[in-house]
Amino acid sequence: MRVLLVEDDAMIGALVQDSLRDASYAVDWVQDGLDALGSLRAQTYDLVLLDLGLPGRDGLEVLKTLRARKNPVHILVLTARDAIENRVQALDAGADDYLLKPFAMTELLARMRAVLRRHGGHSTSCLENGHIELDLVAHAARVDAAEWIPLSAREFALLQALMLRPGAILSRSDLEDRIYGWGEEVESNAVEYLIHALRRKLGQAQIRNVRGVGWMVSKPQ
Ligand code: CA
């Protein structure tokens, strides 16, 4: 999962970025509305965390510009503006949800999961493809209802990327994009290493390699 964090407050931004990385998200952080629009042109994100009071371009303007561009990215507004009309405006302009500052990180993480779940058509915090179940809260997986196996942060991020699109082949760079944010060094063979580790935990057959193209998990029957 790759998240764009748009927040001009350095303290809040650093705190949220660290917490999201701990929770296995790949995070890019910008502090200006124009930078946010530039980043969203250059990179595909699963979710945007958008402050409303921003230099460069106001958060509400960023939201309207994105929707005018037909960018369907999920947007969770983070705002200290407690006036009802600001929240209503943000929702009407295409935000998926909002969270008032100050907020607890646990609530932010839960709301992010809820937004992603709604759009994935899932009603629980679990992704499944008929064999593998991935618990998005506990960061654990199991195969055919056997015992739950804990995953490392990056194993989780990689398996989540595959489980969000069962039946689709994801290339090495697709997967790296979902695992690493800016400024995080991509170790060579990291994807192969993580696939190897996941296959050891879940069984060789659960993650298919399509030679020269990428990897996939099977579609539910
Ligand atoms: Ca602000």
Side-chain angles (χ1 to χ4, degrees), residues 154-173:
R154 287 197 163 137
E155 288 166 4
F156 172 80
L158 191 151
L159 186 58
Q160 185 181 29
L162 292 171
M163 291 291 291
L164 283 167
R165 301 165 196 82
I169 302 167
L170 300 190
S171 69
R172 176 204 311 263
S173 74

Side-chain angles (χ1 to χ4, degrees), residues 42-78:
Q43 171 75 48
T44 306
Y45 290 95
D46 300 290
L47 184 83
V48 180
L49 297 176
L50 181 65
D51 183 26
L52 287 186
L54 287 171
R57 193 64 57 85
D58 188 71
L60 197 57
E61 289 305 311
V62 171
L63 192 49
K64 287 177 179 166
T65 306
L66 283 175
R67 293 317 188 209
R69 281 183 196 166
K70 308 273 184 239
N71 187 323
V73 67
H74 310 318
I75 299 173
L76 179 54
V77 164
L78 306 177

Side-chain angles (χ1 to χ4, degrees), residues 6-9 12 51-55 78 80-81 101:
V6 190
E7 171 59 75
D8 62 319
D9 183 302
I12 297 175
D51 183 26
L52 287 186
L54 287 171
L78 306 177
R81 299 179 186 182
K101 293 176 185 172

Side-chain angles (χ1 to χ4, degrees), residues 178-191:
R178 299 300 105 181
I179 300 170
Y180 296 100
W182 300 333
E184 289 187 276
E185 200 185 331
V186 181
E187 301 122 90
S188 61
N189 296 323
V191 168

Side-chain angles (χ1 to χ4, degrees), residues 45-136:
Y45 290 95
D46 300 290
L47 184 83
V48 180
L49 297 176
L50 181 65
D51 183 26
L52 287 186
L54 287 171
R57 193 64 57 85
D58 188 71
L60 197 57
E61 289 305 311
V62 171
L63 192 49
K64 287 177 179 166
T65 306
L66 283 175
R67 293 317 188 209
R69 281 183 196 166
K70 308 273 184 239
N71 187 323
V73 67
H74 310 318
I75 299 173
L76 179 54
V77 164
L78 306 177
T79 179
R81 299 179 186 182
D82 51 5
I84 288 172
E85 53 266 37
N86 286 317
R87 284 179 260 157
V88 170
Q89 275 180 334
L91 291 171
D92 281 342
D96 293 279
D97 199 1
Y98 65 85
L99 192 55
L100 287 183
K101 293 176 185 172
F103 50 80
M105 275 311 302
T106 48
E107 183 175 7
L108 175 63
L109 292 169
R111 291 226 188 205
M112 290 171 65
R113 286 193 298 269
V115 166
L116 295 165
R117 192 163 70 219
R118 273 204 299 279
H119 290 277
H122 312 286
S123 53
T124 66
S125 286
C126 224
L127 296 175
E128 57 94 13
N129 73 340
H131 292 288
I132 305 171
E133 286 171 88
L134 179 63
D135 186 321
L136 303 179

